[in-house]
Structure formats: structure tokens, C-alpha cells
Amino acid sequence: MVRNNAFWHWAKRLLHTQAFRMLLVFVFFYAVSATALVAFTWWNAQRALDAQTDDTIEAEVGGLRETYQRLGVIGLSDVITSRVAQHGSGIYYLRSSNGAVLAGNLLELPDAARSDGRFFEFDYQRSQQDETVTRTARGEAFTVPGGFILLVARDISDQKLSRKKFLTSIPWSVGLMLLFGIGGGILMSRNFLRRLDVITRTSSEIVAGDFSRRVPITEAHDEMDSLAENLNTMLERTERLMKGMREVVDSVAHDLRTPLNRLRLRLEEMQRKLDPESPQHEDIENALAETDRLIGTFNALLLIAQADSGIIRDSMGPVDLSVIVADVADLYLPLAEEKEITLEVLPSGVLTVEGNRSLVSQALANLIDNAIKYSGPGDRITVSVSETPLSIDMTVADTGPGIPEDERARVLERFVRLEKSRNSPGTGLGLSLVSAVARMHDASLILADTTPGATPPGLKAVLSFPRALGRKPNMVERAF
């Protein structure tokens, strides 16, 4: 069963290849053209054979007429009798005006015979090796002066048999041409698919973070090799850019984060030296808050850059989402209780995905933090992990105001904040970071109403991770 499914999958891929379809169209038109050419040649040859037969009959008729004019009906009968005795392909019939057969090798005048001198074909009986067989002849009949009817014809059974064999061979020839053409198309498409699979596997490994991979180049030096060379050149440039990105990120992390942390420490030292009741103490408190917000923005941007560039793909491994949910929920439980919000974690078993534990935890923390920030006293936040046949979903659902459907795609962009959240603390990078983490894990970020039609509808954010490794990446966030 598995082998049959694999075969049908391969056959379906084969039928959808451009090379196979192009070759199939070429073979079809070639078969039609070849059949038309052979049919025209055969038709022309049949015309030539019929014309040759007609010319032979006309010449013989002319000779018999001269014989009749010179020797009369008795001489004509003798000539016909002598020709019949030669057992050739000639067919003769001479009848008097009263219906008596005077000479010839036909017992009666064929029904199709016409005495106007036009050619016609007819079947007749002939003895052959002690048996009577039906054969076909072509000839003409005309009236001789004196009321005599003379028919002169030639046996064309062999020509008719050749014609039948030819007509029978045409479908077989076309079928064989199509068969060999399809066979050649399968071989060519199989080679094309094999080389395309190499490119696909290489690109999948590159998407997974191995920027050192290159597309193999064969000795054929064909179009596929030219494509591979161009891809390898592009990959080399991409690898250099990614290496430069890593160096920039490391430099920024060192050159900016360290001064910011030093600034915060100095502000804290200055604050400790001041009287808590002095105005300067409050100013430094505000400066510390702004510094913390700046450090938070910097860290978020750094994480987004790392996720988008794939720098930390090497650190990915098996991650149990149920453990991450429990740990992050415990961290935010005191804050939820302080705002009189119910934070609930639904029980689940061990559900493991391939990912970066730190980034997945940060993404979940951002989702819970957003839910707490925009929910009020009495609201409920539910965090859960569930599985489907194709994915493992991590969900944060709240009963807060939610996000309008037409704004859900926009809130995933950097530094985007809706009008109703302008006065609340934040940088507008929370959902942008979650979106970047989803892209890095080939996952989907889905935003929807917790309770459609309710007021307020709430917001349900779902991080949907693919179950199977090596699945084609789905980097498009969906908003419903």
C-alpha cells in the first residue's frame, strides 16, 4: 500500500513537470503530422495505382474494339477466350443482345455494371485451389455495335488487401509513436525531477540554517547546471551578507547594550545618594524608567533581527511546550492577580516541537503580557497547548477588548500601536517579535476572536507549530 502511494505520488509529480508536458505535446503533434503525411502518401499511391489500372483497362478495351472492327464478334470471342486461358488478372464478359454469354470468365454481369463506359468496382467469384473465393475487380462495361455488351476489368484484390493492412497499421503506428514518446518523456522527466529534487533538498537545508550548502553541478553543462551556478553565486553572496549580519548584531549587542547598562547603573548610584523626597530623585526615577524602556526596545529589536536572519537556528532542538507554558504562566501569575485577572493554564501532556526554547518562551511571554496589559479586573486569560494531525498549537485567549479584524495584519508590523493603546506602556514590538519567532520556526501566528459575536470579543492568539520536520515552510501569518 505504501509502495503504491509512493508510485502514484511520483506519477502525479511527473505529469506536472514542464518537461514531460512539453514532450507529450511534441509527441502528439509529431504523431498527427506523421500520420497525415503517411496517409497523404498512401492516398497518392492509391490514386497512381488506380490510374495505372484504368490505363491498362483502357488500352485493352481499345485493342478489343479494333479486333471487333476487323474480325467481328466471332474474332472478339476468340481473343477473349485465349486471354482467359492465360489465367492472368484480366476479367472479361461478352454477352449478346438476347442475353447469351458468348465469352469470358464471369458467369453474369455484375449488378454494379454500367454500360456508359465509367469505371466501377465489383466482387466476383473465382475458383482457387479447389475452392471458390470472393475477389474484387475494377473495370468498365460498354455496348458494342450490334447490341453486344463487353466488360473488361482487372483484379485488384491484392491492392485492396494492401490498403486494408495499411489502414490497420496506422493506429498501431500512432500508438507505438505515442508509447515510445511517453516512455522518452518519462525518462527525461525522471532525470529532470532527480536534479530538481537535489536543488529542493539543498534549498531546504539552507532554509534550515545551513548556509554553507551548495547545489551540485554535473559535467553536462546544460541549463540546469547554469541555474545551479547562478544559485551558488547567489548563495555565496547571501552567506557573506548573513555573516556580516552576525557581526553587526554582535557589535551592536556589545557596543550599545553595555553603555546602556552602565548608564542605568550610574543613574541608580545617583538615585541612592539623593534624598527620596527631593525633586531630583523623581527625575532620576523617570530617567531609569525611560532607560529600561530603551533597553527593552533594544533587546526586542535584537531578538527580531536574530530570528529573521536565522542566526540562532543552530541552537534549535526538542522543546516541550507544556513545560514552557507552565514556567511562563507562573512568572506572570502574580501580575495577573495584582490586576484581579484570572490566569488559567489548561492541562496537557508532553507536546514537543523543534525550536529555540528561549525565543519560544519570549514569544509566549509577549502574548501573555499583552493579554494582561489590555484586560481588566474580572477578565480571564487561558493558556493551553493542544495538538492536531498536522500541528501543535500554543494558545493564549483572553476576554479583553480584542483587536479589530482589519487591524490584525498591521499589528504584526514593528512599532505599530493601535489608537486605544497609545496611553499604555509599550514599544509596539511585542507581536512583531512573536511573528518573527513564528517565521523562524516555520510556524503560523493566528489572531482571532475568543468569542465571535460577543462584546467584548476577546483575543485568541495561536502559535501553530508544524508537527513534521522538513515540512515546507509556512512563513505567512494569517489573521482571521
Side-chain angles (χ1 to χ4, degrees), residues 182-451:
I182 292 173
I186 291 175
L187 292 177
M188 290 180 61
S189 300
R190 184 179 180 184
N191 182 54
F192 179 79
L193 280 177
R194 187 184 298 114
R195 299 187 65 181
L196 192 61
D197 286 339
V198 172
I199 296 177
T200 302
R201 285 196 302 269
T202 303
S203 60
S204 299
E205 292 171 356
I206 292 170
V207 170
D210 187 3
F211 292 99
S212 63
R213 295 286 294 139
R214 296 293 181 269
V215 180
I217 299 176
T218 66
E219 297 180 355
H221 301 295
D222 54 9
E223 294 84 355
M224 295 295 291
D225 287 329
S226 298
L227 175 63
E229 290 176 356
N230 291 332
L231 286 175
N232 289 339
T233 302
M234 181 187 68
L235 291 173
E236 289 174 1
R237 293 191 61 185
T238 302
E239 185 180 15
R240 289 197 299 268
L241 290 174
M242 297 306 299
K243 189 177 296 184
M245 174 69 75
R246 289 189 179 95
E247 293 174 356
V248 169
V249 170
D250 292 341
S251 298
V252 169
H254 180 269
D255 295 341
L256 289 183
R257 184 185 291 169
T258 301
L260 286 174
N261 289 330
R262 288 176 181 173
L263 175 61
R264 193 184 191 287
L265 289 175
R266 289 179 181 177
L267 288 173
E268 287 180 345
E269 291 177 0
M270 291 176 62
Q271 187 182 40
R272 283 195 296 269
K273 295 177 182 179
L274 295 173
D275 184 0
E277 301 298 330
S278 64
Q280 292 82 3
H281 188 281
E282 184 178 354
D283 292 338
I284 293 179
E285 185 70 32
N286 293 334
L288 280 171
E290 290 296 331
T291 303
D292 288 339
R293 190 176 296 111
L294 181 60
I295 293 175
T297 301
F298 169 76
N299 289 335
L301 288 172
L302 192 61
L303 282 175
I304 292 173
Q306 290 175 339
D308 282 337
S309 64
I311 291 175
I312 52 180
R313 278 186 180 270
D314 294 338
S315 61
M316 293 176 65
V319 175
D320 186 357
L321 295 184
S322 60
V323 175
I324 291 180
V325 166
D327 293 343
V328 177
D330 286 341
L331 181 64
Y332 278 91
L333 186 59
L335 179 60
E337 292 176 348
E338 182 181 339
K339 294 188 63 175
E340 300 180 6
I341 298 171
T342 302
L343 179 59
E344 179 185 13
V345 176
L346 299 182
S348 64
V350 177
L351 295 175
T352 304
V353 298
E354 190 77 10
N356 181 280
R357 179 182 178 85
S358 175
L359 285 181
V360 175
S361 300
Q362 185 62 54
L364 178 60
N366 284 14
L367 292 176
I368 296 177
D369 184 73
N370 272 3
I372 294 175
K373 185 185 300 181
Y374 297 109
S375 297
D379 284 334
R380 174 181 292 272
I381 300 173
T382 305
V383 186
S384 62
V385 181
S386 59
E387 60 179 336
T388 68
L390 298 177
S391 64
I392 296 179
D393 300 337
M394 186 167 62
T395 305
V396 177
D398 63 57
T399 56
I403 299 177
E405 185 175 355
D406 57 348
E407 297 283 357
R408 290 172 188 167
R410 197 167 71 89
V411 296
L412 301 180
E413 300 174 5
R414 301 181 188 183
F415 300 108
V416 172
R417 303 189 69 195
L418 302 182
E419 283 298 326
K420 60 184 179 182
S421 62
R422 290 291 182 184
N423 297 325
S424 60
T427 60
L429 292 173
L431 290 178
S432 180
L433 174 60
V434 178
S435 176
V437 172
R439 286 194 298 270
M440 196 196 82
H441 289 82
D442 301 335
S444 299
L445 174 57
I446 307 169
L447 302 180
D449 291 335
T450 301
T451 310

